[in-house]
Amino acid sequence: MVTTHNLGFPRIGARRELKFALERYWKGQSSRDELKAAGAELRERHWKDQARLDFAPAGDFSLYDQVLDMSFTLGNLPRRVHGFHGDPLDNYFRVARGRSANEAEAEAHDACCGGVAAGEMTKWFDTNYHYIVPEFDAATQFSLDASRLVEQLAQARALGVNVKPVIIGPVTYLWLGKAKDGSDKLALLPRLLPAYAALLDYFTAQGVEWVQIDEPVLVTELGAAWREALITAYGALETRRVKLLLATYFGPLRENLELACTLPVDGLHIDAINARDEVDEVAARLPASSALSVGVINGRNIWKTDLNAALQWLEPLHRSLGDRLWIAPSCSLLHVPVDLNSVTRLDPEIRSWLAFALQKLDELTVLAGALNHGCASVAEALEPNAAAIESRRVSPRVHNPAVKAAIASVDAVLGKRASPYPQRAGKQAAILRLPAYPTTTIGSFPQTVEIRHARSLFRSGELDQAGYNAAMEREITRAVKEQEALGLDVLVHGEAERNDMVEYFGERLDGYAFSQSGWVQSYGSRCVKPPILFGDISRPKPMTVEWISYAQSQTNKPMKGMLTGPVTILNWSFVRDDQPRSVSCCQLALAIREEVLDLEKAGVRVIQIDEAALREGLPLRRSEWHDYLRWAVEAFCITANGVQDETQIHTHMCYSEFNDIIASIADMDADVITIETSRSDMELLDAFDDFNYPNQIGPGVYDIHSPNVPSQEHIVDLMKKAAERIPSERLWVNPDCGLKTRNWEEVIPALRNMVAAAQTLRRAV
Ligand code: GLN
Ligand code: ZN
């Protein structure tokens, strides 16, 4: 018999119940017990949903983040919260959010319990989930606190669910963290392993049979020391009595395959979506007593699995492995929405192609049924699955011959500006007549109550299109007037009409679908609803030209057109699995290129194309970076570079770690790039010391993530530091990112100081 299991379930809830429970608690509107009860209720529901599996996961549930949970389980709390004597849950949220969980309580306490620096957050491998980075130093000690797992195991037992605890493995745990004092993290391994041994013994004492121990580092390029650490760690844990299922996901094992197969564990889980071609080799190399778990259902995407195709390769594998074969989704289902059935207003045909977390578990049970009892036993499920797969494969909504023809005719000329930058710069300067240190903003202005109100009235039908447009035009006019009063040089329309920088474009492109409630956790209580790119992409009509033209009509200053770039749209969407990402990206590029050219035709002289997420898309393995950067840059160039010399192209990126990709950024050949730097005191501009970036740069000088108003002196200082690395005639003065999350009361004084700083700098030129 084949064994079915799951690596992790989304914890936020189909209706984002956890989000609301957390936010009530943080606002002081509910008690700690109520929050814990909300968590227990979600776990119970999710375990019931997974009861048909041989093993459901336990310990995958988290009130905030699974990595932070592991830090607490291992007794590794940042030093700054060591003196806290209140409830552990409050300390947990202090690390997560930088403040005591319950704001009302925080006020009752005094300075000792108030705000602390929140733990740093970073992306979980190559997903859009963000975890709290474990903090280490040379003196870090570990001590087991199993209370969270005790509670969850007891609950599972009371409910009669067969669970497999899930923990992050010791090597991946160290790999994910940061040594604050620059010490060697790996030196902590000998101190860390006893805590893991104690945890495994605790599981044994609880009568647990299998533990899932996640080591996704095995799909990355590991140095010798890290490989050695895996051998040491699993050698040390080998003597524990509980059985270990070592889980890898998010990619192929490649050069780590042999290592993974020889670690002394009882079973290995591999990602058969990304590494289908490694399955046979792993099966051949694993010791004859080991279980092989194959992740056959994509845990990262929302398409139905082709069950018949999966069975075709699973059947022979099952024949050779017999009971040693386990099947599961490729990774935790954290990365997909919970339930397709709770989603409203989704086109029925597109819906028939999709599977969210619960539907993926259905698929898994069908596969197990077919393997255990023959295909005939599940024919009722296999037939509609085959029909859905076929309907998607041939659908004219997916395949648009005109788009395919356009892609086929893409050539090198398409992505190249007519003249090199120095020539363009001269022509642009003659038209734009900007002062030295020109000022601008990144696009959005505060999303006010009025904007949100108009949007919700429009959605509910209480406001008609004309009324909505008028409301947006009022906001645009306001933003333009404010910018003129401030004396900014290149203005923006403010993005009032955009709820989200990807969704806005996705809704206007053919080939994109939106779910009303397909929420996926991004971090903590924050969720996103990634749009679904299902078909060949085309632009039925202009998407932004009217708004930008209206904004331009309100001022004589140059108005910057504002678009989201193809790579960012791709990286923040669920994408097609029937063609390479690079092809989808190129289709997006061609569609947005049309918008760029239409803006130019409408007289817009400055066009910004945001690539906020370009860096996020970098593959886990460095050996694959080159290929990604090649097609990503090419897509940007196709989008941007069809304009005349006189049109100034800007791009914006929400980060500033450029050292390793700066040559690719330069290849994009944008006339101006604005980046995020203010928090690092311009240190992140180090990349520009060694690499002579040839075009103009606006290093962010106003940290928009903070409510603080930067002073004029501070901005002048930052710009002077920037001018040490980049010639001042190529510098712009601008905030770090868009201003939509701030309010006007903060933004106006901040921008006033920014403009005053630019004036000071000009006097010195
Ligand atoms: N133009 C967008 C804005 O200002 C850019 C946002 C971003 O970079 N994330 O909101
Ligand atoms: Zn940004």
Side-chain angles (χ1 to χ4, degrees):
M1 294 286 251
V2 66
T3 297
T4 54
H5 72 117
N6 185 20
L7 282 75
F9 196 81
R11 56 241 178 175
I12 203 77
R15 285 177 300 282
R16 288 182 295 162
E17 292 88 333
L18 181 58
K19 172 195 176 67
F20 301 118
L22 283 167
E23 289 172 357
R24 272 196 304 278
Y25 178 66
W26 292 336
K27 284 194 198 124
Q29 294 166 353
S30 72
S31 68
R32 199 174 288 134
D33 287 343
E34 283 168 309
L35 174 62
K36 287 185 177 165
E41 199 180 309
L42 282 166
R43 285 198 296 273
E44 177 171 349
R45 190 194 310 156
H46 297 157
W47 276 326
K48 286 190 172 147
D49 287 334
Q50 297 175 89
R52 58 213 147 122
L53 306 179
D54 295 308
F55 294 103
D60 59 328
F61 181 84
S62 174
L63 283 174
Y64 200 94
D65 167 46
Q66 73 270 17
V67 181
L68 185 61
D69 284 357
M70 205 60 212
S71 290
F72 272 70
T73 300
L74 296 167
N76 177 34
L77 278 51
R79 276 189 199 288
R80 60 187 177 281
V81 304
H82 279 190
F84 185 83
H85 299 299
D87 188 274
L89 186 63
D90 283 350
N91 217 15
Y92 176 84
F93 287 131
R94 289 171 86 233
V95 183
R97 311 166 59 233
R99 60 172 65 175
S100 183
N102 186 322
E103 276 139 48
E105 258 175 55
E107 276 163 32
H109 289 72
D110 56 6
C112 82
C113 308
V116 290
E120 193 186 315
M121 214 163 41
T122 196
K123 272 163 59 87
W124 173 247
F125 294 87
D126 59 352
T127 71
N128 285 327
Y129 176 80
H130 300 72
Y131 71 92
I132 306 275
V133 178
E135 297 177 26
F136 307 122
D137 57 43
T140 297
Q141 299 286 344
F142 302 94
S143 64
L144 178 64
D145 170 1
S147 51
R148 170 181 62 93
L149 292 154
V150 170
E151 190 184 330
Q152 297 192 23
L153 282 179
Q155 188 190 1
R157 181 160 312 129
L159 291 166
V161 217
N162 196 27
V163 293
K164 156 178 63 64
V166 178
I167 57 176
I168 295 169
V171 179
T172 294
Y173 179 73
L174 288 177
W175 191 85
L176 292 170
K178 203 168 179 178
K180 289 290 191 183
D181 57 354
S183 60
D184 174 20
K185 299 187 278 187
L186 272 180
L188 298 174
L189 187 65
R191 267 180 251 164
L192 178 59
L193 290 175
Y196 272 87
L199 180 56
L200 297 184
D201 289 347
Y202 163 77
F203 289 139
T204 307
Q206 291 297 305
V208 167
E209 186 190 0
W210 280 93
V211 175
Q212 174 189 323
I213 190 157
D214 290 2
E215 292 286 9
V217 284
L218 278 161
V219 308
T220 68
E221 283 146 344
L222 292 172
W226 288 95
R227 293 166 59 90
E228 201 51 47
L230 283 158
I231 296 171
T232 310
Y234 287 89
L237 299 177
E238 186 185 1
T239 53
R240 306 343 282 188
R241 297 246 304 282
V242 72
K243 289 190 201 155
L244 296 183
L245 177 72
L246 186 76
T248 69
Y249 38 79
F250 299 153
L253 294 164
R254 300 246 171 88
E255 71 284 2
N256 300 324
L257 187 145
E258 198 187 330
L259 172 65
C261 291
T262 45
L263 290 172
V265 290
D266 306 277
L268 178 67
H269 171 86
I270 59 170
D271 175 345
I273 297 297
N274 285 299
R276 166 76 191 83
D277 54 350
E278 288 184 347
V279 173
D280 289 337
E281 196 185 343
V282 171
R285 281 178 183 269
L286 271 189
S289 57
S290 283
L292 172 57
S293 165
V294 286
V296 280
I297 285 164
N298 195 338
R300 291 277 293 273
N301 214 332
I302 39 63
W303 305 107
K304 269 187 181 156
T305 307
D306 183 341
L307 296 176
N308 290 290
L311 282 170
Q312 249 172 33
W313 66 267
L314 277 173
E315 274 162 357
L317 191 69
H318 187 218
R319 275 196 296 278
S320 70
L321 290 178
D323 289 350
R324 289 168 56 209
L325 179 65
W326 292 30
I327 56 172
S330 58
C331 58
S332 167
L333 297 175
L334 179 64
H335 311 289
V336 293
V338 177
D339 183 7
L340 189 59
N341 294 322
S342 69
V343 168
T344 52
R345 283 205 270 164
L346 187 64
D347 176 283
E349 189 182 12
I350 292 165
R351 177 191 290 268
S352 77
W353 302 335
L354 303 181
F356 291 177
L358 288 177
Q359 289 71 42
K360 286 174 187 286
L361 296 178
D362 292 340
E363 294 183 339
L364 193 65
T365 356
V366 174
L367 289 176
L371 292 173
N372 290 335
H373 310 291
C375 286
S377 71
V378 287
E380 265 174 38
L382 289 179
E383 277 159 28
N385 173 268
I389 299 293
E390 184 60 9
S391 121
R392 182 176 161 221
R393 197 179 66 78
V394 300
S395 169
R397 298 175 66 186
V398 173
H399 304 282
N400 178 338
V403 175
K404 294 202 198 310
I407 292 284
S409 69
V410 166
D411 59 19
V413 183
L414 207 60
K416 250 185 118 45
R417 296 287 294 258
S419 311
Y421 166 77
Q423 255 164 278
R424 298 182 331 243
K427 295 188 194 171
Q428 291 162 17
I431 294 179
L432 296 171
R433 300 165 162 279
L434 299 172
Y437 289 104
T439 53
T440 191
T441 60
I442 306 302
S444 57
F445 269 101
Q447 288 265 327
T448 57
V449 180
E450 296 88 72
I451 297 179
R452 275 194 273 265
H453 186 61
R455 192 176 295 145
S456 86
L457 289 182
F458 180 52
R459 240 188 254 134
S460 67
E462 289 161 78
L463 192 64
D464 63 8
Q465 186 73 53
Y468 175 75
N469 289 357
M472 292 304 117
E473 287 181 359
R474 274 197 299 280
E475 289 294 332
I476 290 172
T477 305
R478 172 183 185 183
V480 171
K481 294 286 163 266
E482 294 288 5
Q483 293 173 84
E484 285 195 325
L486 284 162
L488 286 153
D489 300 306
V490 173
L491 310 196
V492 297
H493 79 297
E495 302 182 26
E497 80 289 3
R498 302 185 192 172
N499 37 356
D500 175 274
M501 65 188 283
V502 170
E503 196 167 295
Y504 180 82
F505 291 94
E507 279 173 345
R508 283 158 183 79
L509 291 168
D510 281 351
Y512 251 111
F514 292 84
S515 72
Q516 292 299 313
S517 49
W519 296 103
V520 177
Q521 192 174 14
S522 164
Y523 66 89
S525 64
R526 292 287 284 265
C527 301
V528 293
K529 251 183 329 181
I532 298 165
L533 196 168
F534 69 86
D536 289 338
I537 294 291
S538 60
R539 186 195 69 147
K541 56 175 203 253
M543 306 181 281
T544 65
V545 177
E546 279 179 24
W547 297 121
I548 306 296
S549 302
Y550 174 79
Q552 182 67 82
S553 75
Q554 304 293 297
T555 180
N556 292 323
K557 294 247 178 134
M559 175 62 56
K560 185 158 67 165
M562 192 60 58
L563 303 170
T564 304
V567 189
T568 297
I569 296 185
L570 183 87
N571 284 343
W572 286 347
S573 302
F574 284 121
V575 295
R576 292 170 68 168
D577 59 354
D578 59 346
Q579 67 184 22
R581 293 172 77 84
S582 55
V583 175
S584 299
C585 198
C586 189
Q587 293 185 352
L588 285 162
L590 288 173
I592 301 164
R593 176 188 172 96
E594 292 175 14
E595 188 72 16
V596 170
L597 297 178
D598 278 346
L599 282 170
E600 184 181 55
K601 234 183 272 158
V604 180
R605 319 253 47 156
V606 184
I607 301 172
Q608 177 174 314
I609 303 162
D610 290 326
E611 284 294 15
L614 186 126
R615 195 175 204 294
E616 287 188 24
L618 283 173
L620 287 174
R621 279 179 206 268
R622 232 172 217 273
S623 57
E624 288 162 15
W625 282 23
H626 178 78
D627 187 47
Y628 165 77
L629 287 168
R630 187 188 47 72
W631 60 253
V633 168
E634 185 180 288
F636 180 87
C637 290
I638 290 173
T639 306
N641 293 350
V643 294
Q644 293 156 9
D645 286 351
E646 289 75 9
T647 301
Q648 188 173 69
I649 295 287
H650 289 219
T651 186
H652 163 72
M653 298 185 179
C654 287
Y655 45 83
S656 46
E657 297 147 50
F658 284 120
N659 298 39
D660 41 12
I661 57 166
I662 192 151
S664 300
I665 305 286
D667 288 344
M668 291 163 67
D669 202 19
D671 297 299
V672 183
I673 174 171
T674 57
I675 57 178
E676 180 178 311
T677 27
S678 67
R679 274 209 241 188
S680 78
D681 210 24
M682 299 287 143
E683 264 168 31
L684 289 165
L685 291 185
D686 284 353
F688 296 85
D689 277 345
D690 309 329
F691 184 92
N692 189 9
Y693 184 77
N695 304 359
Q696 299 168 53
I697 305 179
V701 287
Y702 160 22
D703 174 10
I704 63 90
H705 303 96
S706 151
N708 300 337
V709 170
S711 70
Q712 182 188 331
E713 295 70 35
H714 180 65
I715 297 174
V716 169
D717 274 359
L718 287 175
M719 288 305 299
K720 284 187 175 157
K721 284 191 184 152
E724 289 166 12
R725 282 134 164 145
I726 296 148
S728 62
E729 60 278 11
R730 289 202 262 117
L731 282 174
W732 285 64
V733 185
N734 48 260
D736 255 358
C737 194
L739 301 165
K740 74 176 188 193
T741 55
R742 301 259 65 91
N743 55 48
W744 280 104
E745 291 69 37
E746 295 156 350
V747 161
I748 288 180
L751 293 180
R752 192 179 293 133
N753 292 348
M754 194 183 88
V755 171
Q759 283 159 352
T760 307
L761 291 160
R762 278 169 208 159
R763 281 195 289 275
V765 169

